[in-house]
Amino acid sequence: KAGVTQTPRYLIKTRGQQVTLSCSPISGHRSVSWYQQTPGQGLQFLFEYFSETQRNKGNFPGRFSGRQFSNSRSEMNVSTLELGDSALYLCASSLVDRSGQPPYNSPLHFGNGTRLTVT
Amino acid sequence: AQSVAQPEDQVNVAEGNPLTVKCTYSVSGNPYLFWYVQYPNRGLQFLLKYITGDNLVKGSYGFEAEFNKSQTSFHLKKPSALVSDSALYFCAVRVSANFNKFYFGSGTKLNVKP
């Protein structure tokens, strides 16, 4: 099975621009989560999607948004980029049952991330 | 609130020696605990997970984790370290049984020297 695929791997943007990152989950995984990783803050939860609905959101400003498509692929968007948005953005997918509940010991499976640099 | 702590930023060990990477947790209810490893410029790779009732859990690449309920710890161990084990290790806890929201520890950099 192919793993979680994130594109692009690297992005360089300037302040004020916006950016869209893409994630294709493992086949059959219908839950997709996004995390931001920085040296100072570590791994921070952005949001989680299931069945095209955001059902959990971390403590990030509204400039960070996302969506999920009917094939479970997901995108996240960051508008009005700031220098502090420079980070590794990680997408993770997971198995869930029909109601969207994950098996209690089901791990997240991560992609290799998109390295965003804001100048 | 659920949380995990990794008290050591860095662990140094000689190749062939046993290694331990520490993790303590704070959860309400049953703990859903995981270990991940991250190599440079890569995503997180799942190593192992806690299974209720097992105090010693075996995972990938010869790693295992020891669960201790009284000390609320879930330490990662390996009997004999390899130079290739050098990486960043994260302990994580699932926040809710219903959603895929995880809290991650701050990470521990493992350096294995030849």
Side-chain angles (χ1 to χ4, degrees), chain A residues 8 11-12 21-22 25 40 47 51 73 90 94 98:
Chain A
L11 268 177
I12 300 175
L21 313 181
S22 181
F47 26 65
S51 193
R73 192 177 70 83
L90 294 165
S94 174
R98 286 192 171 190

Side-chain angles (χ1 to χ4, degrees), chain A residues 2 21 54 56 73-74 79 91:
Chain A
L21 313 181
Q54 185 187 95
N56 231 324
R73 192 177 70 83
S74 178
S79 63
C91 170

